Amino acid sequence: MPFTVALTGGIGSGKSTVANAFSAFNIEIIDADVIAREVVKPGTSALQAIVKRHGESILTAEGTLYRARLREIIFQQPQEKNWLNQLLHPLINARTQQLKTQALSPYVVWVVPLLIENGLQHQADRVLVVDVDETIQLQRTRQRDGVSLSQAKSILAAQVSREQRLAWADDIIDNSGTPDQVLPRVAELHQRYLSMAATGRD
């Protein structure tokens, strides 16, 4: 299993920007969100189970998962969130392990938005937190997703606090500025991770 750097951060912190910067060094990115979409693609047993539980209205006209509707259901009914997690987490975990095993780069960057919330931090050799203050998070989330301020605040409230996330960080990238401003820090961490991966230490 390759040396694994778990990349996390709150909504709107710019995890994708940082992941793309590591990708430019030919480091393989394993993205939990991408895998989560993959395991519920049309034709999968997971999507069939979701339809069986919530009916055809959980599908779009194209037959894909209607994410906004599912999000609404699990926001209003916590027990449905638990059911969904029990269905999807083992599938996501199995695919993640498979991708780690197949990785060819010296280390992998594993992007997990809810790393701390789901208690997955122990599955990584290193935890890298992308950090911005909450004002920037709310602003970016509203711009990107077209949600209201109260919706953005409720999404933020459902995640662990900034302090809790930083308490688990081995490394931190401040992403308050422009995308280009994180590049020197990514380059510095890349060298550090190469060295750690080569010596097998964290």
Side-chain angles (χ1 to χ4, degrees):
M1 205 64 81
F3 189 87
T4 301
V5 176
L7 170 63
T8 194
I11 189 162
S13 58
K15 295 177 291 293
S16 298
T17 301
V18 174
N20 290 338
F22 278 103
S23 181
F25 288 107
N26 295 318
I27 295 303
E28 294 194 36
I29 309 298
I30 298 173
D31 190 324
D33 278 353
V34 172
I35 296 170
R37 284 190 204 99
E38 211 179 85
V39 299
V40 292
K41 282 199 302 199
T44 58
S45 59
L47 185 60
Q48 287 165 3
I50 294 167
V51 172
K52 190 175 177 187
R53 190 168 180 93
H54 295 295
E56 296 285 334
S57 65
I58 206 75
L59 296 175
T60 65
E62 295 77 38
T64 59
L65 182 62
Y66 193 166
R67 294 180 169 279
R69 186 161 290 163
L70 184 63
R71 205 175 299 128
E72 240 170 62
I73 292 169
I74 63 177
F75 242 77
Q76 291 163 358
Q77 304 172 53
Q79 76 276 13
E80 290 305 314
K81 185 179 183 179
N82 294 339
W83 176 85
L84 191 68
N85 285 345
Q86 282 171 6
L87 172 73
L88 298 183
H89 283 180
L91 299 172
I92 293 168
N93 191 42
R95 179 66 178 143
T96 302
Q97 298 312 316
Q98 184 185 20
L99 289 172
K100 282 184 185 178
T101 308
Q102 293 168 352
L104 299 173
S105 56
Y107 67 92
V108 297
V109 171
W110 176 35
V111 185
V112 196
L114 300 178
L115 182 81
I116 313 302
E117 290 84 343
N118 290 331
L120 300 172
Q121 61 270 30
H122 305 293
Q123 292 183 23
D125 297 292
R126 203 90 186 151
V127 174
L128 169 58
V129 171
V130 184
D131 183 51
V132 295
D133 70 41
E134 289 186 6
T135 313
I136 295 174
Q137 281 184 273
L138 291 169
Q139 187 186 335
R140 287 180 182 168
T141 302
R142 291 186 69 193
Q143 280 172 348
R144 186 190 66 190
D145 300 341
V147 294
S148 68
L149 180 60
S150 64
Q151 282 174 306
K153 281 184 172 176
S154 69
I155 295 168
L156 208 64
Q159 300 186 334
V160 295
S161 70
R162 185 182 178 191
E163 292 71 26
Q164 286 170 296
R165 198 178 289 110
L166 288 172
W168 282 104
D170 295 303
D171 304 296
I172 298 165
I173 289 183
D174 177 356
N175 192 25
S176 306
T178 65
D180 286 349
Q181 286 174 309
V182 301
L183 299 179
R185 176 69 172 141
V186 169
E188 175 199 332
L189 287 171
H190 172 61
Q191 292 305 322
R192 186 186 300 174
Y193 297 151
L194 283 177
S195 163
M196 287 179 168
T199 57
R201 66 186 178 82
D202 55 15

